[in-house]
Amino acid sequence: MELNGKVALVLGAIKGIGKGIGLALAEQGVKVALNYFDWEEELSGLKREMADTGREHLILQTNLLEVDKIPGLIARVIEQFGRLDILINNIERGGWPVVHGAYVPEQWDLEMATTLRAKRWIFESALPHLKATGDGVAINISSIAAIVGRSGPADMIFNEGYAAANRAISLLTETWARLAAPAVRVNEIMIGFVETRHAQKTRGWNLLTQERKQAVLDHTLLRRTGTIDDVVKTVLFIIKDAPFMTGSVLRLDGGYVLGGDKVGGMPEGVI
């Protein structure tokens, strides 16, 4: 896909991964609509950095938990730019056990509504416009919590509700790829411990003991957490350089799911 002049909607764009993706797309010549709801104190920074790109953009505030407002969000993007080529479905709420403690029904419901339900209704509203371009792209951002759940070094980081919601996203990715083909490619990036999501620049990470943090790194083959740039490069690869990829889940976790054990040399044998 040639990006110059395309239109993208990026969710969760106020900071972190969402903002990084929005800025990178703008630098590629994309007209970007960026949606946010909370973290109002980050808004001035987002406005300044987007203005510095010199690209046409639109910053919107929409509570995506109120699904009746989602068609209006999509309509506003179409009204401003006339089309929608790219959807970055990046919205979630993670229920850190170390932060939130034991589950209560309200926390469970909020995780499901944010991490899973909002993605579904956004995609439904965006799909006709993505199809209309004939070469649309939708990317779901999910978490390796879908695979590891509340286990191992991650047991104070991933709640089982958050893990269940993320596992469901992979099912939606496959279903949506079938619904959208051939005009729209739908793929998923399943991220691991990234600096602004479950790692150094989050409140939860800084509540962990040093031993627990080191255990996460020791369990990761590349022995580091990910960066926003790691995610941005993967997003750009899917959009620009993977025209034959749809319905796929790319795991971007530095090898956490595989675990920290390495393969040793072959033994001498007994023959």
Side-chain angles (χ1 to χ4, degrees):
M1 179 185 282
E2 170 55 48
L3 292 185
N4 191 47
K6 301 294 188 185
V7 175
L9 170 61
V10 182
L11 305 181
I14 192 71
K15 63 187 185 109
I17 289 170
K19 183 172 79 169
I21 293 170
L23 290 169
L25 289 174
E27 294 290 355
Q28 296 274 331
V30 177
K31 300 173 184 177
V32 184
L34 307 108
N35 190 71
Y36 77 100
F37 176 61
D38 48 13
W39 302 99
E40 196 83 32
E41 66 276 12
E42 302 285 341
L43 183 57
S44 60
L46 174 64
K47 288 181 175 179
R48 182 179 63 255
E49 291 182 66
M50 287 302 301
D52 288 345
T53 68
R55 304 294 184 179
E56 185 180 358
H57 62 278
L58 177 67
I59 298 175
L60 299 162
Q61 184 180 31
T62 313
N63 182 0
L64 299 178
L65 299 182
E66 299 176 10
V67 294
D68 59 319
K69 293 184 177 179
I70 289 175
L73 167 63
I74 301 299
R76 182 71 183 87
V77 175
I78 300 302
E79 177 187 346
Q80 178 75 21
F81 299 117
R83 60 187 292 153
L84 179 61
D85 302 271
I86 300 163
L87 172 65
I88 306 298
N89 217 344
N90 172 53
I91 175 174
E92 69 146 32
R93 178 173 175 96
W96 290 65
V98 72
V99 174
H100 297 105
Y103 260 126
V104 295
E106 293 78 13
Q107 175 64 24
W108 173 281
D109 292 345
L110 187 57
E111 289 175 22
M112 292 294 177
T114 309
T115 303
L116 182 60
R117 189 183 69 188
K119 281 187 175 70
R120 193 269 179 203
W121 295 108
I122 278 283
F123 180 80
E124 179 171 283
S125 291
L127 182 57
H129 304 286
L130 294 170
K131 279 187 171 182
T133 70
D135 187 25
V137 177
I139 299 177
N140 290 326
I141 306 293
S142 69
S143 168
I144 60 167
I147 297 175
V148 303
R150 187 159 63 90
S151 64
D155 69 343
M156 291 292 101
I157 300 168
F158 299 145
N159 260 334
E160 55 263 49
Y162 176 71
N166 276 282
R167 183 169 292 193
I169 291 168
S170 294
L171 173 64
L172 293 181
T173 297
E174 294 176 358
T175 301
W176 294 348
R178 294 184 176 99
L179 286 172
V184 182
R185 294 181 288 121
V186 183
N187 292 289
E188 179 180 339
I189 303 174
M190 184 181 285
I191 64 174
F193 293 90
V194 173
E195 55 185 348
T196 58
R197 191 171 292 183
H198 303 301
Q200 291 90 338
K201 296 181 181 180
T202 63
R203 177 176 59 153
W205 179 266
N206 292 300
L207 292 174
L208 299 174
T209 65
Q210 190 57 44
E211 291 75 15
R212 177 73 60 163
K213 296 174 188 176
Q214 190 59 48
V216 170
L217 296 176
D218 290 343
H219 197 78
T220 304
L221 289 176
L222 296 185
R223 295 297 192 266
R224 69 171 178 89
T225 57
T227 65
I228 292 172
D229 191 51
D230 289 325
V231 181
V232 165
K233 287 177 178 176
T234 307
V235 167
L236 293 178
F237 164 73
I238 291 174
I239 295 173
K240 295 174 61 177
D241 299 316
F244 197 54
M245 180 189 295
T246 196
S248 295
V249 179
L250 296 186
R251 198 170 70 237
L252 188 69
D253 69 340
Y256 181 90
V257 168
L258 293 180
D261 295 332
K262 296 182 179 179
V263 177
M266 290 295 289
E268 291 290 335
V270 296
I271 297 175

